Amino acid sequence: MRISKAYWIWGQFSINDTLYLNSIRDNVQIFLKSPKFDIHLTICGPYEKLGCDFLNNLKNLSNKNQSIILNLEKFDFSDEKFKSFFIKTNKSIELNNLRNNIYKLSNFASKNDYDPHISLAYGNHKKYQKDLLISRMPKLRKKILLSKISLVYVNEELNIWRILNNYDLRID
């Protein structure tokens, strides 16, 4: 059963890449009705409870980890409500390492079915709508910069995605 009220760790992007992705998301959401949410790549979760130690360790982890260049692969969609229409990204070693290190902070077991993506619309949309939309999408940039991790409180029942803290990753 899906946990609908929990904390998640998101990856977020450089200012320029956020503006670029927001523009794409906004155009997608004109076509596909969707709740509004900040552009992100989910890294891990859900966590039902988090302690102060986890938050301190998450901040320390961000100071030790570099920003990650992600390769954008393609626009795609699924039948899942919270993965209705998205940009598929590569599953890099750096992203997997960051994800595993975050899971180790709370002795939370990571799953091997991680499918990194940047959601552009949530909802139960018809396949023909998504097929049509893909045919109209612009060519994607090849790379974007994941420059911070964010602690987010999520209540899917009320369509709430509230960023509680941002932690910048190192840029060397």
Side-chain angles (χ1 to χ4, degrees):
M1 185 166 102
R2 186 172 173 99
I3 299 171
S4 64
K5 296 177 189 173
Y7 298 94
W8 293 79
I9 306 298
W10 287 357
Q12 294 193 286
F13 313 99
S14 70
I15 293 169
N16 287 338
D17 290 334
T18 297
L19 292 171
Y20 167 71
L21 294 168
N22 282 345
S23 173
I24 294 172
R25 180 207 55 208
D26 293 348
N27 286 326
V28 165
Q29 290 186 6
I30 289 170
F31 192 79
L32 299 175
K33 301 295 181 225
S34 172
K36 302 294 181 208
F37 54 88
D38 289 306
I39 202 78
H40 67 279
L41 180 139
T42 300
I43 296 176
C44 52
Y47 298 95
E48 292 186 86
K49 295 179 183 177
L50 295 174
C52 290
D53 285 347
F54 178 86
L55 299 178
N56 290 331
N57 291 335
L58 188 61
K59 182 178 181 179
N60 291 334
L61 181 97
S62 71
N63 291 330
K64 294 176 184 173
N65 280 269
Q66 285 188 304
S67 296
I68 299 170
I69 295 173
L70 295 175
N71 294 316
L72 301 181
E73 294 181 2
K74 65 179 181 172
F75 293 101
D76 206 350
F77 59 84
S78 77
D79 292 331
E80 295 175 46
K81 181 178 179 179
F82 295 105
K83 195 177 172 187
S84 183
F85 197 88
F86 57 91
I87 299 170
K88 184 165 181 50
T89 69
N90 68 314
K91 191 175 182 178
S92 70
I93 293 169
E94 296 84 3
L95 183 59
N96 275 332
N97 287 341
L98 176 63
R99 185 170 183 268
N100 288 333
N101 288 335
I102 293 171
Y103 275 129
K104 287 177 188 173
L105 297 178
S106 62
N107 298 319
F108 195 91
S110 66
K111 297 177 183 173
N112 291 328
D113 62 349
Y114 184 51
D115 184 23
H117 64 280
I118 301 166
S119 288
L120 301 171
Y122 295 155
N124 298 310
H125 305 101
K126 303 284 185 212
K127 182 182 181 306
Y128 77 87
Q129 292 175 301
K130 295 184 276 192
D131 280 329
L132 179 60
L133 184 56
I134 281 185
S135 71
R136 296 179 176 178
M137 295 305 294
K139 185 175 178 173
L140 281 170
R141 285 184 186 170
K142 297 221 183 280
K143 298 179 184 304
I144 59 171
L145 184 67
L146 188 124
S147 61
K148 63 185 168 184
I149 51 177
S150 301
L151 173 65
V152 182
Y153 171 73
V154 174
N155 182 328
E156 293 174 348
E157 295 168 10
L158 300 176
N159 290 333
I160 294 171
W161 298 272
R162 184 177 309 130
I163 296 172
L164 303 176
N165 289 319
N166 290 312
Y167 305 97
D168 291 328
L169 298 170
R170 285 191 355 250
I171 298 178
D172 292 338

